[in-house]
Amino acid sequence: MHPRGPHRRAALRGAAGAVVAVALGGCAWRGPSPSPPSLVVATGPPGAVYREIGAEIAELLDARLPDTRVRSVETGASHDNLRLIEAGEADLGLANLDSILAEEVAESGPLRAIGRLYDSFVHLVVLDGSPVRGLDDLEGRRVSVGASGSGTGFTVDQIVEETGLEMEEVRLDQASSAEALSRGEIDAMFSLTGLPTPAIAELAREHATRLIDLSDTAAVMAESHPVTYFPATIPGTTYEGVPACPTMSVPNLLLCPADLPDDLAHVVADTVYTGARRIAATRPEAAQINVRTGISTGVVPLHPGAARWYRDNKPS
């Protein structure tokens, strides 16, 4: 297992969650060959885009590396994925930029980026008959803020810190949140995810559903965190019967350990960015994956192997 820098938070120095330990068992490979015996891709929870995009990436890599056993592993999403890579239990993982920045990524640290993939959008979802019309209406209500260890949970924590919102928080993954909302067990659900997210799409097909306008919140968050949050709009074509809605977006990165072999990082970048069209055939948000924006990883350094691929394939 490779050494870890002392700059990371204590949370990342701790052991990964029990579910992850059971799922993965041993350490991720760190050998010199571009075709390792195994490769672990940390994804996300049921009903989440991370889970589906991560699984598609794993399938592409499995086809590209016939001598390698490539596995995608369900996780709580961003923070779980950061912990897995930090612990040496995953070779690749998806994470939101705000979650990454919270972990104080540094040039000397253990994380590198293969590239920027697509943007996630903050959803605040209610059933159509709900009295909730704005963020303030969540005061005192029972609201799912995402699973523990998820990017959704972290982003909602930032919103609460900036706005002073007080609500009864419930920690559920996206699929469980949608089910609880449909049964009236919660009043609303947050989800930070790509477009469309499966759990919300299914909810909208079965129930009249609304998204809450978060334009004021987006302005506050963009002002206080200008490199992380951006005003955005969820298009009206995203979910059946749900009008367009202002909100905010957060970039997503594909991460790896700093000590992943250069040749392997080069192969991963080539596989993901040349295979984006195939992924987009089933996951529309993958249409955002391209060479021009791939290098825009913010404060997270590109892995040298990925950087070499971008230099070799820069647009003319």
Side-chain angles (χ1 to χ4, degrees):
M1 196 172 300
H2 51 290
R4 303 302 179 193
H7 69 287
R8 299 297 299 279
R9 289 186 174 183
L12 286 185
R13 292 196 295 266
V19 63
V20 170
V22 171
L24 299 179
C27 294
W29 172 86
R30 296 288 179 270
S33 169
S35 295
S38 65
L39 197 69
V40 176
V41 182
T43 63
V49 172
Y50 268 17
R51 180 183 176 187
E52 299 199 0
I53 290 283
E56 291 281 354
I57 289 173
E59 286 189 16
L60 288 175
L61 288 169
D62 192 53
R64 179 69 178 271
L65 300 168
D67 297 326
T68 300
R69 181 191 176 206
V70 182
R71 295 185 289 156
S72 63
V73 179
E74 291 180 15
T75 69
S78 290
H79 280 271
D80 269 0
N81 295 347
L82 291 169
R83 294 187 183 99
L84 283 171
I85 295 173
E86 166 66 11
E89 300 289 346
D91 302 282
L92 301 168
L94 291 86
N96 301 318
L97 183 57
D98 58 346
S99 297
I100 299 167
L101 291 176
E103 303 302 342
E104 303 172 9
V105 172
E107 289 285 347
S108 60
L111 287 178
R112 293 292 182 269
I114 296 295
R116 179 172 172 170
L117 298 182
Y118 63 95
D119 292 350
S120 283
F121 293 73
V122 177
H123 297 61
L124 177 53
V125 188
V126 297
L127 296 184
D128 193 46
S130 170
V132 175
R133 295 288 169 177
L135 191 72
D136 291 346
D137 294 330
L138 296 180
E139 291 282 347
R141 297 186 186 276
R142 187 172 171 84
V143 181
S144 175
V145 297
S148 298
S150 68
T152 297
F154 179 81
T155 301
V156 174
D157 287 345
Q158 304 310 296
I159 292 173
V160 168
E161 183 176 330
E162 291 291 337
T163 64
L165 178 66
E166 295 184 1
M167 56 188 172
E168 182 182 348
E169 296 184 0
V170 180
R171 299 278 174 179
L172 298 172
D173 64 36
Q174 294 184 60
S176 299
S177 295
E179 291 170 3
L181 185 59
S182 70
R183 294 193 296 264
E185 297 170 357
I186 57 175
D187 298 297
M189 64 173 281
F190 279 99
S191 179
L192 176 65
T193 183
L195 302 177
T197 191
I200 297 173
E202 183 176 352
L203 178 70
R205 284 192 294 267
E206 296 178 355
H207 302 273
T209 303
R210 283 190 290 112
L211 295 171
I212 301 301
D213 186 327
L214 294 175
S215 52
D216 291 345
T217 304
V220 169
M221 299 300 290
E223 182 176 359
S224 58
H225 305 276
V227 300
T228 307
Y229 302 116
F230 303 89
T233 298
I234 298 174
T237 55
T238 307
Y239 301 108
E240 184 177 334
V242 180
C245 186
T247 185
M248 65 185 190
S249 64
V250 182
N252 290 294
L253 307 185
L254 180 61
L255 301 176
C256 67
D259 59 2
L260 195 74
D262 285 6
D263 286 348
L264 181 55
H266 188 281
V267 167
V268 171
D270 185 64
T271 302
V272 170
Y273 287 91
T274 60
R277 182 173 297 180
R278 172 181 156 180
I279 301 175
T282 55
R283 293 306 322 167
E285 57 280 289
Q288 298 178 46
I289 300 174
N290 65 82
V291 177
R292 293 182 184 278
T293 60
I295 61 173
S296 301
T297 57
V299 300
V300 186
L302 280 171
H303 189 288
R308 176 162 57 90
W309 185 85
Y310 288 112
R311 287 194 300 271
D312 294 343
N313 294 273
K314 60 184 178 181
S316 55

